[in-house]
Structure formats: structure tokens, C-alpha cells
Amino acid sequence: MNLKKWIALGLTGCFLFSGCAEQREQAQTALENSQQENRHEATSFAMDTVMTFTVIHEDGEELIIDAEQEIRRLENLLSVTLDGSEIKQINENAGKEPVRIPTEILELLQTSKDLGTETGNAFDIAIYPIVKAWGFTEEEQSVPPQETIDQLLPLTDLNDLILDKENSTAYLEKEGMAVDLGGIAKGYASDSVKALLKGKGVESALLSLGGNICTIGNKPDGSPWKAVVQNPLDANDYVGLLEISDTCVITSGGYQRYFEENGKQYHHIINPATGWPAESGLLSVTIVCDSGTKADALSTALFVMGLEDALEYWKTQDDFEAIFVTTDGEVVATEGLKDSFTFEGKDNDFTYRMAER
Ligand code: AMP
Ligand code: MG
């Protein structure tokens, strides 16, 4: 069915004939039917998470397969645990020799390093030895002895990750060092899939990678996509709703992965300054940014920084907005979201304020 023809017919009809309402209705029905026909959705599991892709396009089914293949390609390059991944090879050669890697990975490592520097090392992809010591990539988790953390902390310095653009190599200078893109890979994957789909003519899509959302354009009816900001204390509840067009919404929170020992919870976002899970007074940080890569890194980094430092950092930047949920039950949204964020946490005793520049 040619949608444009239907609409044109409907509009022309309005001018020429008296049965205008009927024509309009027909055009509307044609539009809705065509949207339904072109809406394709699939769920899969990759990168340790559930992914759902919704693509509005007549070739949506094939395009989703392309998107899933792109995710697998990236997983094979970026995984810290998959044998043969580029990242694993870099880690296995720490203290031994530089490893030749594709430019794409080199650039992602450089971006990660830059975001580390920009955030005062709150984002640190070289934190992996500590993440491992806590067991977050193992079957069992437990609080490591302070002695172990003290021994590992000197191995987490991003300055010891040497990136050589000319030779396209990455080198970890000290034995025992390891990089982990767990804090940025899903955002990067979202950007890659988004670029792939846009390149194939997709104008409307929603990509959900473990609850992190990246959108292309608007919904087919022209209204913005919606993303919820989860209540970190209740998986079935949310503290607010975001209306978004062609952007990404990425959340980091201690509630997303943690274990309990002696009645205390320990989560997976590590403060690189201490080697312990960040206790910064935040339950979650949601970043809204056109770049999924940046959104992902910043959600992790700003969680480590805590509300005050995070807001100071936000004031120095103009390409992202954020929503914080604090341990005191406050929801704070940055002012750029004033028209797109609706606070919905009142019934659960959250309070709300907007942070201004
Ligand atoms: P995210 O869910 O994006 O906040 O990423 C958290 C994951 O990133 C963890 O499971 C670790 O693999 C890794 N990670 C933990 N702490 C940090 C940190 N300070 N900087 C970078 N990556 C981290
Ligand atoms: Mg992240």
C-alpha cells in the first residue's frame, strides 16, 4: 500500500468533494494500518542482558536481524570474558606487549580514557581487577580483604593504558592490569545499531538494551517516544516519565547488580578512588544524551561522583541532562528536562526538585 498516495488522495479529496470527513477517516485508517504493518519487534539476549528492538520500517524484520548481528559482532570484540575478544587479548598481554586492534576499538578505548580524565577518574575502564576481586564477573561475590584492594588499586591507573594510533595498538603497561568496557559497551552498541538502522533508511525505532533506551526519530504517529525512570527501590514502579525524540536514556544504579554479606548490600559500581562500591548518596543516575556511548559512561561516572559533584560537572557541559534519585528519597532533574520529564514518584514518598544551571 502506498501511504503517501492515500494521504494525498485524502487531502485532495477534502478540497474537491464534500465527503471530506469520510476521506479523512479513510486516510487516517490507511495511515494506522500501514504503521501497524511496518512495526516490527524482537527480543533477544546478548551482552548479558535482554534486548528489545522495535523498528518501524517495511523491511523491519530483516533490519532487526542486521541489528542483532551487529550486537554479536560487538560482543565478540568487546567482551571481557569471551575467549578471543580484542579486550581479552589486551588484558592477557598486560605487562607483556602491545596488541594490534581495529581502529574502532582503539577509538572506543580513547573515548573511554578521555571520559575518565573529564570525570576526574570517576569513570575508569581499568577498574577491572577490582571488579573481579569483588566477584562481579565471577559466579560468587564476596567482600575482598582490604589488603587485596590496596594491592590492586595501583593497577587501575588509566595513564598506564597506552594507545598508539599510528600502529593501532593498545598496551597495558603493568602485569595484572585489565580493561573492562562494561560501563560503556551497551551505550556504544546502541549508537552502532542506531547508525546502522539510520543508514538503511529507518526514521523511527526504539532500542532497549537492558532497559537502556535509544530512539530514532519519533513514534510513527509523530509523538515522542516514552521512557520510564525506574524506582530503584521497586522494580515494578517508576519515579518519572521522559518524552524523548532521537536520543538515548541510560541509567546506572546500585540496585541493578549487587550481593549481600552480613546484612549489608554491596553493588557493582566501584569508586576508583577507594576500590569499594561507590557510596555517594545516590540510588540511580539517568543520563539523557544523543550519544549513547557518552550517556553510558556518564551514568556510571556521575553515580560515583554523587549529586553535588555531578551537578557541578553537568554545569560545565551542554550535551546531556540527568535525573538523580538519592538515598534520601529525592528525585532531581536538570533543567533541560523541564518540558520532557514528568515526576511520578509522589505516591511513594519521593520528593522532587529541578536543578538549575
Ligand atoms: P553501568 O551499569 O553502565 O553503570 O556499568 C557498571 C559496570 O561497569 C560494572 O558492572 C563494572 O563492570 C564496570 N564498572 C564498575 N565501576 C566502574 C567505574 N567506576 N568506571 C567504569 N566502569 C566501572
Ligand atoms: Mg554506564
Side-chain angles (χ1 to χ4, degrees):
M1 179 186 317
N2 186 328
L3 174 63
K4 279 192 187 129
K5 253 190 211 160
W6 264 107
I7 296 172
L9 188 71
L11 290 174
T12 321
C14 285
F15 294 116
L16 295 180
F17 306 114
S18 54
C20 179
E22 201 182 315
Q23 298 275 357
R24 248 203 326 261
E25 222 167 83
Q26 271 182 6
Q28 182 63 31
T29 312
L31 178 68
E32 278 165 18
N33 285 344
S34 140
Q35 284 170 1
Q36 284 308 321
E37 273 172 30
N38 287 336
R39 185 187 169 96
H40 298 272
E41 191 167 293
T43 297
S44 55
F45 190 84
M47 292 184 154
D48 239 359
T49 198
V50 177
M51 304 193 172
T52 302
F53 298 150
T54 307
V55 175
I56 320 296
H57 193 278
E58 55 188 1
D59 300 327
E61 220 172 299
E62 295 97 86
L63 290 171
I64 287 178
I65 294 171
D66 292 347
E68 286 171 348
Q69 273 174 358
E70 174 66 357
I71 295 283
R72 308 253 172 245
R73 182 186 75 83
L74 291 172
E75 188 171 25
N76 286 330
L77 293 172
L78 305 180
S79 167
V80 73
T81 48
L82 273 183
D83 281 336
S85 83
E86 313 289 319
I87 294 299
K88 204 166 179 196
Q89 288 179 45
I90 295 169
N91 293 344
E92 283 168 355
N93 285 290
K96 294 181 194 150
E97 59 182 356
V99 174
R100 231 181 123 71
I101 49 172
T103 321
E104 182 185 9
I105 312 293
L106 191 85
E107 281 171 4
L108 180 58
L109 288 170
Q110 186 64 56
T111 303
S112 304
K113 221 179 141 169
D114 293 345
L115 284 163
T117 310
E118 249 183 55
T119 57
N121 296 326
F123 185 70
D124 179 2
I125 55 163
I127 198 71
Y128 190 59
I130 304 256
V131 170
K132 210 166 172 223
W134 283 88
F136 283 112
T137 46
E138 318 297 307
E139 293 212 334
E140 301 252 317
Q141 292 92 43
S142 62
V143 179
Q146 184 60 47
E147 212 185 359
T148 306
I149 294 177
D150 292 341
Q151 278 166 6
L152 295 175
L153 274 176
L155 298 176
T156 63
D157 190 342
L158 272 176
N159 290 317
D160 298 331
L161 166 62
I162 310 299
L163 300 172
D164 179 343
K165 265 198 187 141
E166 235 164 73
N167 296 307
S168 200
T169 60
Y171 179 47
L172 291 165
E173 283 195 314
K174 294 181 187 156
E175 205 183 321
M177 284 186 77
V179 284
D180 161 28
L181 296 173
I184 196 169
K186 286 190 207 91
Y188 179 74
S190 310
D191 286 342
S192 299
V193 171
K194 197 170 155 171
L196 180 148
L197 293 177
K198 275 188 158 178
K200 296 197 174 187
V202 174
E203 291 175 358
S204 173
L206 184 140
L207 314 169
S208 167
L209 282 70
N212 296 316
I213 305 287
C214 269
T215 57
I216 297 179
N218 284 312
K219 287 201 289 193
D221 66 5
S223 66
W225 293 103
K226 287 196 174 70
V228 298
V229 178
Q230 197 190 308
N231 176 351
L233 304 173
D234 180 352
N236 297 314
D237 185 36
Y238 53 95
V239 297
L241 272 178
L242 271 166
E243 291 196 323
I244 48 166
S245 309
D246 214 37
T247 195
C248 299
V249 178
I250 295 195
T251 299
S252 285
Y255 67 92
Q256 291 173 339
R257 200 185 299 172
Y258 62 88
F259 67 91
E260 276 185 22
E261 196 172 297
N262 297 327
K264 192 171 158 37
Q265 281 185 7
Y266 299 92
H267 63 71
H268 68 133
I269 304 174
I270 306 294
N271 180 352
T274 63
W276 283 71
E279 287 197 32
S280 59
L282 292 174
L283 293 175
S284 71
V285 177
T286 298
I287 303 288
V288 183
C289 180
D290 290 353
S291 158
T293 308
K294 186 162 184 182
D296 198 353
L298 288 187
S299 67
T300 311
L302 271 56
F303 185 91
V304 171
M305 285 183 190
L307 183 61
E308 261 182 51
D309 287 356
L311 285 176
E312 284 311 309
Y313 176 72
W314 164 72
K315 285 177 190 170
T316 67
Q317 308 281 310
D318 61 4
D319 59 352
F320 78 92
E321 302 294 334
I323 298 157
F324 304 89
V325 183
T326 74
T327 48
D328 299 337
E330 194 177 29
V331 176
V332 181
T334 54
E335 68 179 351
L337 298 174
K338 67 175 181 300
D339 296 328
S340 53
F341 179 67
T342 313
F343 173 62
E344 300 266 2
K346 201 164 158 239
D347 293 347
N348 287 312
D349 294 334
F350 285 98
T351 56
Y352 175 60
R353 83 177 153 98
M354 183 143 272
E356 289 171 4
R357 275 192 202 278

